[in-house]
Amino acid sequence: MKHSPASVLAAVVAVMTAMLPMSARGADATPAQVAGRTGDFPGIEKLMSAEEFGRAGLDRLTPEQVRALNDWLVRYTAGEAYVVQSTSEEVRAAVPEFRIEARIVPPFGGWTGQTLFRLDNGQVWRQRIKGRYMFDGDDTRVVITRNLLGYYNLTMLSTGRAVGVEPVRKPPGASAVD
């Protein structure tokens, strides 16, 4: 299947946008990488592997060209990327699916703003969106999914109520990416 350069770039932006919360840490950047970095945005040279960066021919760009590409990528991500992510089947297909099904370990009475959710698979998730929800039931089955912007949501299957969460601890053997 042949893809246009614009659709490939849109897919790269979608995947990079989904990765930003986890990739934005990178204190081990080289001076060449820092040259293209603007503000706290990690830069395309940090978001892509060295192999991807070279295969795309980006290693031949000057530091000024990398900086211009990063500036454009920040503007695109902030403005148009969400539209492309929500309207393009090709881009949605490029974003890896993330889904965890588990049970919250009792006792559980809902969430109060800074709740820790301890799951029966060993994972621990923290509430990231303010809000309260009182729960008085026995069915603590939940599904955690990741949206197109890379944020996680926990949904109670018995009630359909959902709240934004972030990972605190993953089970042994979980990959560093998810």
Side-chain angles (χ1 to χ4, degrees):
M1 177 188 307
K2 188 172 181 179
H3 303 291
S4 73
S7 66
V8 171
L9 186 56
V12 167
V13 169
V15 171
M16 289 187 318
T17 301
M19 294 170 41
L20 271 177
M22 298 213 174
S23 301
R25 330 170 214 201
D28 57 339
T30 66
Q33 291 171 324
V34 172
R37 189 172 291 167
T38 57
D40 63 351
F41 182 73
I44 194 165
E45 62 283 357
K46 186 71 175 174
L47 294 171
M48 297 175 88
S49 71
E51 180 186 337
E52 292 168 321
F53 194 77
R55 201 170 53 236
L58 299 175
D59 56 341
R60 294 188 294 266
L61 298 178
T62 67
E64 293 78 23
Q65 290 170 320
V66 172
R67 192 173 10 266
L69 178 59
N70 282 330
D71 289 346
W72 175 85
L73 188 54
V74 167
R75 287 190 311 275
Y76 180 81
T77 302
E80 297 175 32
Y82 179 74
V83 173
V84 173
Q85 290 173 5
S86 61
T87 60
S88 170
E89 278 298 320
E90 185 176 2
V91 173
R92 279 198 299 268
V95 176
E97 185 175 331
F98 180 91
R99 181 180 176 91
I100 294 173
E101 295 183 27
R103 291 182 185 273
I104 298 174
V105 176
F108 176 70
W111 50 84
T112 59
Q114 296 182 3
T115 302
L116 287 178
F117 300 93
R118 298 180 194 287
L119 305 183
D120 63 355
N121 64 6
Q123 294 182 351
V124 178
W125 293 77
R126 177 182 300 117
Q127 182 177 351
R128 69 171 174 77
I129 300 289
K130 293 188 186 281
R132 294 179 168 271
Y133 171 63
M134 301 308 291
F135 178 77
D136 185 27
D138 296 323
D139 186 357
T140 61
R141 291 176 302 139
V142 297
V143 171
I144 298 176
T145 56
R146 181 172 45 209
N147 66 25
L148 287 172
L149 297 177
Y151 294 106
Y152 298 97
N153 293 304
L154 176 145
T155 303
M156 297 286 306
L157 291 179
S158 62
T159 64
R161 294 294 300 259
V163 66
V165 293
E166 59 190 4
V168 174
R169 183 178 70 220
K170 304 200 178 191
S175 79
V177 176
D178 283 324

